[in-house]
Amino acid sequence: MAELPDWFTSIPYFTKRWLSLTAILTLAGRFGILNPFNFMLFYEPFIKKFEIWRAATALLMYPLTPGNGFHFLINCYFLYSYSIRLETDSFGGRPADYFFLLIFNWICCVIIGLLANIPVLMDPMVLSILYVWCQLNKDVIVSFWFGTRFKAMYLPWVLFGFNLIISGGGLQELVGIIVGHLYFFLMFKYPQEMGGPQLIQTPQIFYKFFPNQRTVHGFGQPPTRATPTAAPAARNQQQGEGGLNFRRHDWGRGYVLGQQQ
């Protein structure tokens, strides 16, 4: 029994709180302590009645029923597995940057949720985090059901297609992919690969509350653009010193879906 507290203690800061609050609110709703309807994202009470807490609780409260219990557990597994790897690997030592990722994706999910009438945001938010991890580890080979293996960059679309075929859904997965791609494009791809300006960045106040724990050079900064006459070797050196080269950078290892960590 001592292993369970040790495991819980080892979970990083943001993943621990996200997972814990999700479990607490969801179980409270399942056993009738709370009414899930009062915590879901609906346009009229959120806008007209100014029940602004719904923006946060729609992410944390999942209306659990006997019919969707397995889906909820899968969501919790994806939340834990991908969030913990982003927080400790890709964003390791930079909690403010990971917090900004969570805040940015959450705000986008809330906006789209209001427009598309999606009252529960757990699915799109988890998929958005999964998408970012897969883009930062796009060439890592992952395994899916029945032993199928493919590059991580295809995993979000496999999940989208799987849910579309099995349950006739897919809208929430698609929203998660859109939100995750929006963050990845604005934060990394556009400034670093396309040479555009940095359109979004972590607010400085976030570093005040969550200071860097170690120095990581070049994270999230656009590389120095090479001149047209620059040699390929010089261009590669500039990318290595001034920014991230996603095709060559080792962002972390893959893992087998369903395998215990």
Side-chain angles (χ1 to χ4, degrees), residues 101-109 125 128-129 132 179-180 183:
L101 162 62
L102 294 176
I103 293 296
F104 180 88
N105 286 17
W106 166 65
I107 292 175
C108 291
C109 286
M125 184 67 179
S128 72
I129 297 301
V132 173
V179 171
Y183 172 85

Side-chain angles (χ1 to χ4, degrees), residues 3-254:
E3 296 180 356
L4 185 59
D6 292 340
W7 165 79
F8 185 77
T9 304
S10 67
I11 302 176
Y13 184 85
F14 295 110
T15 303
K16 180 190 297 183
R17 281 150 181 79
W18 183 9
L19 184 61
S20 299
L21 289 174
T22 298
I24 292 172
L25 288 180
T26 298
L27 292 177
R30 177 67 180 90
F31 292 109
I33 300 175
L34 299 174
N35 184 358
F37 182 84
N38 296 329
F39 296 87
M40 301 164 79
L41 186 64
F42 296 108
Y43 182 85
E44 183 172 352
F46 179 76
I47 299 296
K48 296 183 179 181
K49 297 182 179 180
F50 204 61
E51 297 179 356
I52 58 176
W53 67 82
R54 292 177 180 266
T57 56
L59 171 64
L60 304 172
M61 167 72 79
Y62 191 86
L64 192 62
T65 65
N68 62 14
F70 180 73
H71 183 77
F72 172 72
L73 291 178
I74 292 296
N75 270 343
C76 289
Y77 172 76
F78 284 157
L79 187 164
Y80 171 81
S81 298
Y82 290 97
S83 178
I84 198 173
R85 289 181 180 275
L86 279 177
E87 188 172 354
T88 59
D89 186 5
S90 302
F91 293 84
R94 303 185 68 93
D97 293 322
Y98 186 62
F99 182 58
F100 176 67
L101 162 62
L102 294 176
I103 293 296
F104 180 88
N105 286 17
W106 166 65
I107 292 175
C108 291
C109 286
V110 169
I111 294 174
I112 298 178
L114 289 171
L115 296 176
N117 193 27
I118 301 176
V120 180
L121 302 180
M122 184 179 187
D123 283 74
M125 184 67 179
V126 171
L127 257 293
S128 72
I129 297 301
L130 180 150
Y131 182 90
V132 173
W133 183 90
C134 289
Q135 289 301 310
L136 296 177
N137 299 271
K138 59 176 61 178
D139 292 325
V140 173
I141 302 299
V142 298
S143 296
F144 195 57
W145 306 118
F146 313 116
T148 55
R149 294 169 60 83
F150 44 81
K151 291 184 178 181
M153 61 187 297
Y154 302 118
L155 179 57
W157 298 103
V158 171
L159 294 174
F160 166 72
F162 186 83
N163 193 53
L164 180 65
I165 295 172
I166 298 299
S167 63
L171 174 61
Q172 298 189 48
E173 287 78 7
L174 184 59
V175 170
I177 290 173
I178 292 173
V179 171
H181 182 75
L182 181 62
Y183 172 85
F184 180 78
F185 179 83
L186 294 177
M187 179 62 77
F188 298 115
K189 190 175 182 65
Y190 183 63
Q192 296 183 9
E193 295 186 9
M194 302 176 65
Q198 190 80 35
L199 298 178
I200 63 172
Q201 58 184 343
T202 305
Q204 288 299 316
I205 192 173
F206 285 10
Y207 294 109
K208 179 179 179 181
F209 293 101
F210 306 107
N212 293 343
Q213 299 170 0
R214 62 182 175 87
T215 302
V216 181
H217 296 287
F219 184 86
Q221 299 297 326
T224 303
R225 284 190 251 183
T227 60
T229 57
R235 187 178 301 112
N236 292 336
Q237 181 180 3
Q238 288 176 341
Q239 288 182 339
E241 294 176 355
L244 298 178
N245 187 339
F246 292 112
R247 295 184 178 179
R248 300 179 58 189
H249 190 83
D250 183 10
W251 282 97
R253 59 186 181 85

